[in-house]
Every structure is written in C-alpha cells, then in structure tokens.
C-alpha cells in the first residue's frame, strides 16, 4: 500500500493531502513496464541457454548434434593424416620411382585439381552447417581423385619396372666363353692385322681362343634369328635378337645347340667353339650390335667378370696384335 503524503495549508490552518500529478504516474508506470520487460528478456535468454526448458527429445537431439561435431572433428584429423601420407607417396613417386624409370613426373595441379562443370554440392546447400559440410566433401573428393591418380601411376611404374627387368635381362652382359675354358683372349675390337692378308683392317668383334668343342653361352635373353653357315667368313654362326635394338653374333662354331626361332635365356648353352669359315685357329668370334651398328663387346661384361678380370681383358683387347679371322 502506497504512502499518502500531506502538506500544511497556512490559509486554512489544516493538513491537506498531496495529489500526485498524472504525468508522474505515467512515467512511473512506463519505467515499471520497461524494467519488467528487461528483466523478463534477460531471464528468457538465461532459460534458453540452459536445459531447464528442453524436452527429453530436444536433449537427445542436442547430444546427437554434439556427437556429430565430435565425429566431424575426428574425420577432419583423419583427412589431414591421409593428405600428409598421400603427399609423401606423391613426392617419392615423382622424385624417385618415376625418375628412376625415366617417366615424366605428374604435375601438382593435375594431382590436386578440383572438379569443374556442374555444382556437385548443390544438395548440401541450405543447412546450418552447409559450408563446413561442403568443404569436407570437397576435401574427400580431392583425396579420392589423388588416390586414383596415384594408383594409375603405380600401375605404370610396375609396368615400367617389368620392362626394365626385361631390358636388363636382354642386354648381352656376360662373357660368351667361361674364363676357365679359355686358352687366351686373342684379339679385341679395333684395328688389327688380318691373319691371311697381313693388312691392317677393322676387327668388329672379340676373339676368344679356346679348344674345339668348348661350350658357348648366350650373353642375354632373346630369340635365335640365325643358326647357319650362309654368311661369308663367319662359318657356322648364331645370331640372337635380344630386342631393344641389341643383337649378338657367335661365329666359327663347330656345331649348334639351338635352332632358328628358339627362345634362349642368358647363360643357356647355344653351341661349341670351332674353326669353320674364315678362321686361322679354333676360337669364338663374338660381336654385339646396337640399332644395327657394331659396338665394342668389352663394354658389356659387367655380369660375369670381376674388376681384376675385366682389367686384364681390357689390357689384352687393346693390344694391336693379329686377329684370328
């Protein structure tokens, strides 16, 4: 109950009640309403930010949203780890594997390119967290594309490795006659004295002096293209096509152990030392061709000689002596 105030009126010599002004009443009422509204708004905010007014269903949805946020955070960390692992594989792929097999590196912009054309993420728009969801989906799509590109690259590397293995097996890389079967290494590649005319002429191969019947071995994988005596001067001879531009020739044989069209592996027995054709004594005349041109066979013995044996052979091969054919 509000207090009643009085004042003393000297004219009437009595106390009179003070009547409040209407404007003051309205002002007080206004402040009361504003204050009540302000406190009510603050209280509503407090209630909305607590679980006091939430129903059990709302509380369950809130927990579910919190769980999704946690799962999304875990997914983001996993994507970051995948991106790091992929970056490491891509770096090794470009700078080790593809470099070793002489393949062009895959450009960075090709590995990490996005997707043009239509909006692939339109169905994800219009939600509260659309931007986050779209960014995560884009990252996953790019990671998937990187994995596809890397998988194709590794398939290519595997094929190149297989080809490289075939190439290494095909190159004429061993001595055609074993050291223990040799009498000596008679003559090397270069200018030599002809045994019949005594004139100085180019000797296109290497002569291995050995007794008649000593085994001769294929120096690399390939296919026998010729095994006959229909080539002037060579007598009974064998030619093996190793592919990749390589061909090897074995001349003056006493007999064959292979026939035309036969597949051979490095180290297979293909024939025996003889003295057929234009030959002064039993020996093997051996030549190597690359892309149709004769090359020095001594550069290809890395598969069967020690460093000391190779040095001795190099010394004898470089002597300008008389050849045997």
């Amino acid at each position: 109950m509000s207090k009643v105030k009085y004042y003393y009126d000297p004219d009437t010599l009595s106390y009179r009640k003070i009547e409040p002004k209407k404007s003051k009443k309205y002002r007080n009422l206004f402040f009361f309403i504003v204050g009540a509204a302000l406190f009510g708004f603050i209280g509503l905010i407090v209630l909305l930010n607590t679980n006091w007014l939430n129903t059990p269903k709302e509380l369950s949805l809130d927990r579910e949203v919190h769980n999704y946020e946690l799962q999304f955070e875990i997914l983001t960390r996993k994507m970051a780890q995948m991106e790091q692992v992929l970056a490491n594989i891509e770096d090794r792929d470009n700078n080790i594997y593809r470099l070793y097999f002489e393949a062009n590196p895959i450009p960075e912009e090709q590995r990490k390119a996005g997707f043009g054309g239509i909006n692939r993420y339109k169905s994800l728009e219009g939600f509260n967290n659309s931007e986050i969801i779209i960014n995560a989906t884009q990252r996953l799509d790019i990671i998937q594309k990187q994995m596809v590109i890397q998988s194709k690259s590794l398939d290519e590397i595997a094929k190149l490795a297989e080809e490289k293995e075939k190439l290494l097996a095909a190159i004429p890389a061993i001595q055609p006659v074993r050291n223990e079967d040799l009498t000596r290494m008679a003559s090397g590649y270069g200018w030599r004295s002809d045994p019949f005319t005594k004139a100085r002429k180019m000797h296109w191969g290497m002569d291995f002096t050995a007794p008649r019947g000593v085994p001769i071995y294929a120096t690399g994988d390939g296919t026998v293209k010729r095994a006959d005596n229909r080539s002037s001067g060579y007598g009974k001879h064998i030619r093996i096509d190793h592919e990749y531009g390589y061909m090897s020739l074995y001349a003056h044989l006493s007999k064959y152990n292979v026939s035309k069209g036969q597949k051979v592996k490095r180290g297979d027995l293909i024939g025996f030392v003889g003295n057929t054709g234009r030959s002064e004594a039993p020996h093997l005349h051996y030549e190597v061709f690359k892309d149709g041109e004769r090359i020095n066979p001594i550069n290809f013995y890395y598969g069967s000689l020690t460093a000391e044996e190779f040095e001795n052979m190099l010394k004898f091969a470089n002597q300008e002596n008389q050849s045997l054919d």
Side-chain angles (χ1 to χ4, degrees), residues 128-190:
N128 291 336
N129 297 309
S130 287
E131 185 177 351
I132 297 175
I133 296 171
I134 290 173
N135 287 339
T137 307
Q138 286 176 331
R139 285 179 70 183
L140 282 172
D141 284 345
I142 291 174
I143 289 173
Q144 184 179 20
K145 182 178 180 182
Q146 287 178 263
M147 291 176 69
V148 170
I149 292 174
Q150 187 57 55
S151 176
K152 289 181 178 178
S153 177
L154 291 177
D155 288 342
E156 182 184 354
I157 293 299
K159 188 175 180 180
L160 289 171
E162 185 178 349
E163 285 297 314
K164 193 91 169 183
E165 187 177 356
K166 288 181 181 177
L167 169 62
L168 293 174
I171 294 174
I174 64 171
Q175 194 171 285
V177 180
R178 293 182 302 187
N179 270 340
E180 53 266 34
D181 293 332
L182 290 177
T183 304
R184 65 189 178 94
M185 211 291 291
S187 182
Y189 178 96

Side-chain angles (χ1 to χ4, degrees), residues 243-258:
E243 298 184 353
Y244 307 99
Y246 289 99
M247 176 90 71
S248 58
L249 181 149
Y250 314 77
H252 311 306
L253 278 61
S254 59
K255 62 179 179 178
Y256 311 110
N257 195 52
V258 292

Side-chain angles (χ1 to χ4, degrees), residues 8-40:
Y8 181 74
D9 186 355
D11 294 333
T12 61
L13 302 177
S14 63
Y15 289 95
R16 299 176 66 86
K17 186 166 63 172
I18 300 174
E19 296 293 340
K21 296 179 180 180
K22 287 184 178 182
S23 61
K24 188 175 182 181
K25 286 182 180 181
Y26 293 145
R27 185 182 61 188
N28 291 340
L29 179 61
F30 172 76
F31 284 130
F32 174 77
I33 292 173
V34 170
L38 182 60
F39 281 111

Side-chain angles (χ1 to χ4, degrees), residues 185-195 200-208 252 278 283-287 294-297 317 321-325:
M185 211 291 291
S187 182
Y189 178 96
W191 291 96
R192 300 291 182 267
S193 174
D194 185 276
R200 193 167 179 267
K201 62 179 287 188
M202 185 65 185
H203 188 243
W204 294 106
M206 296 186 72
D207 290 343
F208 295 91
H252 311 306
R278 191 175 184 273
H283 75 287
L284 169 69
H285 175 80
Y286 174 65
E287 295 182 14
R294 292 181 175 96
I295 55 178
N296 194 343
N321 53 6
Q322 178 179 289
S323 65
L324 294 177
D325 47 39

Side-chain angles (χ1 to χ4, degrees), residues 235-304:
K236 291 183 178 180
H237 78 291
I238 293 171
R239 300 187 193 215
I240 298 177
D241 182 3
H242 302 281
E243 298 184 353
Y244 307 99
Y246 289 99
M247 176 90 71
S248 58
L249 181 149
Y250 314 77
H252 311 306
L253 278 61
S254 59
K255 62 179 179 178
Y256 311 110
N257 195 52
V258 292
S259 56
K260 181 180 178 180
Q262 184 175 334
K263 299 284 186 182
V264 294
K265 294 287 187 182
R266 179 183 291 151
D268 284 354
L269 176 63
I270 59 172
F272 301 90
V273 171
N275 191 30
T276 58
R278 191 175 184 273
S279 172
E280 188 180 58
H283 75 287
L284 169 69
H285 175 80
Y286 174 65
E287 295 182 14
V288 174
F289 298 77
K290 178 69 171 73
D291 299 325
E293 300 290 331
R294 292 181 175 96
I295 55 178
N296 194 343
I298 201 168
N299 298 322
F300 292 86
Y301 298 140
Y302 58 82
S304 60

